[in-house]
Each structure stands twice: as structure tokens, then as C-alpha cells.
Amino acid sequence: MNIHIMPYHTSEKKPKVNKPKPLNKPRKELSKMQKDYMKEHSKKHTPEHNREMRRLMKQGYCIEQSHRLTMKSIGK
């Protein structure tokens, strides 16, 4: 009797999300526009979501890119 183990029974890692290239240069702080946007945006989302968005925007991603990537990885 030959038993075949399916690949989903293994402890495989999740596939990584394909990240687009950042549109802006990395920076140490958010711009005034980004800070104002995050004040309103943070009311609708969790602290983890907001933290990840800030991190991505500091890496150079624009607001739309960072929100899309955060929604894929963390959610609301």
C-alpha cells in the first residue's frame, strides 16, 4: 500500500505578496499631506493596519499602494 502525502499537509509558508516598486524615495517622516490623511484614515482601521501603512509610506510607497498592500497582508 503506497500512501501519498499531499503538499498541503506540510508546514509550508504563505506565498509572499508581490510588492510593486515604491513611487517615492524613502523618508524618515511622513509628509504633512500623509499625516493629515492618516488622521482620518486611522479612525476606520485597526492600529496594526495603520502601523503597517505608515511603515510602507516611509519606505516610499504612496498612500494607495501602501493601503492595497496592507489590506492584502493584514486586512482592516
Side-chain angles (χ1 to χ4, degrees), residues 15-53:
K16 287 190 175 186
V17 177
N18 288 339
K19 285 188 179 182
K21 282 190 172 183
L23 292 178
N24 304 315
K25 292 181 181 178
R27 51 176 63 205
K28 292 185 181 187
E29 289 213 11
L30 300 180
S31 68
K32 180 169 175 10
M33 185 200 72
Q34 288 173 328
K35 286 179 184 177
D36 293 342
Y37 176 82
M38 286 306 293
K39 266 186 192 172
E40 291 300 313
H41 188 78
S42 63
K43 295 176 185 175
K44 301 172 188 166
H45 294 280
T46 61
E48 294 83 22
H49 174 96
N50 296 320
R51 199 175 311 121
E52 180 68 9
M53 272 195 72

